[in-house]
């Protein structure tokens, strides 16, 4: 097995033929259903969404912030402004139309987002780390369209590598609202979307408790233990009584993903 596999049972690691990032991307792709409309962030979310379209969900409609609707890139785009998105799209519209007509009225089924930090209520930070907004320790790329995606999509899936730095008790800055501080916050803020339904990591899958909305571990990848997931979480991570063991990538899924990445 190649790639960063810290936390894997060594005996299992020797048997596997995929990386942690590939497992995470495949798990995220499986969360998408054929015929959905999907607002795609760049990076891992884009890889997962394009993999879903290339495998089990050929009717998945990919929408990018730059205005591309129904993009079908043969390789992963470098950015939301990559020309391959416009060249392969069913339509290209203005950015205001994407947000004002498609996103804000709730016409998008699912938003796929990444995160620099995420907390136990699914709030996302892509703005600043440490210090304050004016004088942070690290200034991140910023919000882009993520706050609107998190607010208005019918549901949200977050794809992020799991570590104590990225999974924190409370984000340093709320760029995109998940469930705020718990039940009722989305409604109080007037957010129309249902909020984040899954956090998919390189260790497993987290889902919100239906009562408290705090995220707990519900699925693990082959060879990963709940103890490792808890060690890489900055809050006291709750674990389901019987977490699902998620099936590893099939050869077809790996081939499709590697073709998209241009390294088959």
């Amino acid at each position: 097995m190649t790639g960063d596999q810290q936390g894997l049972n060594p005996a299992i690691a020797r048997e596997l033929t995929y990386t942690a990032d590939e497992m995470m991307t495949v798990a995220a792709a499986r969360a998408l259903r054929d015929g959905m409309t999907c607002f795609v962030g760049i990076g891992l979310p884009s890889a997962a969404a394009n993999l879903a379209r290339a495998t089990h969900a050929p009717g998945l409609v990919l929408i990018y912030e730059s205005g591309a609707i129904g993009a079908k890139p043969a390789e992963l785009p470098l950015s939301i402004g990559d020309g391959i998105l416009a060249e392969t799209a069913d339509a290209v519209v203005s950015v205001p139309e994407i947000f004002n007509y498609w996103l804000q009225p709730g016409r998008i089924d699912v938003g796929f987002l990444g995160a620099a930090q995420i907390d136990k209520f699914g709030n996302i930070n892509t703005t600043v780390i440490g210090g304050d907004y004016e004088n942070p320790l690290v200034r991140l790329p910023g919000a882009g369209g993520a706050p609107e995606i998190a607010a208005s999509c019918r549901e949200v899936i977050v794809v992020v590598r799991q570590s104590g730095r990225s999974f924190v008790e409370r984000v340093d800055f709320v760029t995109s609202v998940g469930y705020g501080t718990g039940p009722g916050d989305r409604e109080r803020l007037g957010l129309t979307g249902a909020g984040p339904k899954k956090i998919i990591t390189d260790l497993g899958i987290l889902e919100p408790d239906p009562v408290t909305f705090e995220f707990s571990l519900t699925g693990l990848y082959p060879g990963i233990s709940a103890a490792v997931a808890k060690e890489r979480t900055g809050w006291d991570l709750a674990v389901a009584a019987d977490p699902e063991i998620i099936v590893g990538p099939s050869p077809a899924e790996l081939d499709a993903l590697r073709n998209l990445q241009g390294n088959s």
Side-chain angles (χ1 to χ4, degrees):
M1 187 173 189
T2 59
D4 177 12
Q5 297 302 335
Q6 293 179 2
L8 262 177
N9 180 307
I12 293 177
R14 287 192 293 271
E15 299 174 359
L16 300 183
T17 58
Y18 52 85
T19 68
D21 275 4
E22 285 175 332
M23 179 71 247
M24 171 171 53
T25 304
V26 167
R30 291 172 181 168
L32 297 173
R33 301 184 300 276
D34 198 21
M36 277 182 144
T37 52
C38 180
F39 207 116
V40 188
I42 212 65
L44 289 169
S46 181
N50 278 286
L51 175 60
R53 192 189 59 79
T55 53
H56 67 277
L60 184 68
V61 179
L62 304 186
I63 298 176
Y64 285 83
E65 184 178 337
S66 53
I69 298 176
K72 305 172 188 66
E75 294 186 354
L76 296 180
L78 298 176
S79 72
I80 59 169
D82 194 322
I84 194 172
L85 296 177
E87 291 168 4
T88 61
D90 295 330
V92 179
V93 302
S94 69
V95 172
E97 180 176 328
I98 283 288
F99 283 88
N100 295 340
Y101 180 79
W102 294 102
L103 181 58
Q104 291 170 343
R107 291 186 168 95
I108 308 299
D109 293 319
V110 61
F112 248 35
L113 294 174
Q117 279 185 333
I118 191 164
D119 65 27
K120 64 182 179 181
F121 290 115
N123 302 301
I124 291 172
N125 176 18
T126 55
T127 303
V128 293
I129 301 289
D132 57 30
Y133 182 81
E134 297 298 333
N135 297 288
L137 295 178
V138 178
R139 189 170 296 281
L140 301 168
E148 295 289 346
I149 295 170
S152 302
C153 284
R154 292 172 185 163
E155 65 180 82
V156 171
I157 297 171
V158 184
V159 187
V160 58
R161 298 179 185 93
Q162 191 163 346
S163 72
R165 291 195 303 173
S166 58
F167 278 60
V168 295
E169 178 81 20
R170 185 67 176 168
V171 291
D172 293 345
F173 186 96
V174 180
T175 308
S176 306
V177 177
Y179 296 109
T181 58
D185 272 9
R186 289 188 67 86
E187 292 78 7
R188 179 177 59 80
L189 294 168
L191 307 182
T192 56
K197 294 300 182 183
K198 293 180 187 291
I199 302 172
I200 297 178
T201 84
D202 51 348
L203 302 179
I205 295 177
L206 289 77
E207 296 177 288
D209 181 273
V211 176
T212 67
F213 295 142
E214 181 175 326
F215 275 83
S216 61
L217 184 71
T218 58
L220 287 164
Y221 302 147
I224 300 292
S225 70
V228 169
K230 288 177 74 70
E231 288 171 4
R232 296 196 194 177
T233 304
W235 69 87
D236 185 12
L237 178 64
V239 179
D242 187 19
E244 177 187 2
I245 302 302
I246 298 158
V247 176
S250 69
E253 288 170 323
L254 287 176
D255 285 347
L257 177 57
R258 292 166 183 173
N259 283 334
L260 284 167
Q261 293 170 331
N263 59 358
S264 58

